[in-house]
Amino acid sequence: MTTFQFKKKYGQNFLSDPNLLRGICCDAGLTCDDNVLEIGAGAGALTKQICSIAKNVVSFEIDKQLENVLRDLNCKNLTLIFEDVLKVPTNEIEAYFNGSYKIVANLPYYITTPIIFKFLKEAKKLVSLTIMVQKEVAERICAKPGEKNYGLLSVSCAYFGQANIMRNVSRKMFFPQPDVDSCVVNLQIQKKDETVNQKLFLEVIKASFKSRRKTLLNNLAEAFKLKKSKFSELKFDLSKRAEELSVDEFINLTKAIEKII
Ligand code: SAM
């Protein structure tokens, strides 16, 4: 590691504190029966901790310069993949596991949201995500209707499961030190409703939050290119703003919109 240069472009802020590494695995509820997908192995501090508990671990790392240090971990239950996790189809990733799996990761912050959406939308065998994210993102994930951080990410996570902030992590715990504090968030996957059209649901919430100051009616009419009068067929108060609606209300709204488009 002596010649290793940390790459800001890859969000390389590494952990080393043993208590924190154990704490993250504890937040994930890891047991010896678990398969784990780690995203961003870095120098392997968290990888090693996960491997000491879980059954099988598959760890992605984009930076090939870390290959030697990661191979030196010599963990028998570890499969290392040196690829950009966003470029590998989710079904190919899931094929590494015989059965269900958990995600445990100190995520690269520059792609936190794309990674969350990739797995929420596409994963079939995912049980939970336990992820280190920026504090501000953690607050958005866990926000409730009416709160200032409530938005697309909050509703999506509430649809796909139950999210909780497990611990606050000071920026001082990382090397190099980032400009922001972090949190570990645990999201247990349990879809709210299997009958709603998931693709449309995501389109509806995206459209609803597009302009937070606009009413639902204005945002939806614009996004779906429909006359406002068409929405009067829906039994919905569309004079509200998106931030007022719960996930259940968004589900009902999606089911209603499906009938008029
Ligand atoms: N797990 C290590 C730890 O906790 O010390 C490193 C975490 S660091 C915040 C994020 C890691 O993700 C970096 O090693 C970075 O190179 C890697 N990474 C960044 N973008 C990636 C991508 N698209 N696919 C896979 N790994 C990526």
Side-chain angles (χ1 to χ4, degrees), residues 10-15 38 40-42 61-62 84-85 106 110-111:
Y10 288 151
Q12 290 180 341
N13 304 100
F14 293 175
L15 298 172
E38 187 195 16
E61 175 51 61
I62 200 170
D84 177 343
V85 75
N106 171 18
Y110 75 110
I111 45 167

Side-chain angles (χ1 to χ4, degrees), residues 128-164:
S128 64
L129 294 103
T130 305
I131 47 180
M132 179 86 76
V133 297
Q134 279 185 47
K135 189 165 188 272
E136 180 262 329
V137 177
E139 286 165 356
R140 275 168 44 212
I141 291 174
C142 298
K144 300 282 176 281
E147 292 179 3
K148 89 171 172 344
N149 292 319
Y150 186 68
L152 182 59
L153 192 55
S154 335
V155 183
S156 307
C157 290
Y159 170 72
F160 285 100
Q162 173 72 45
N164 286 299

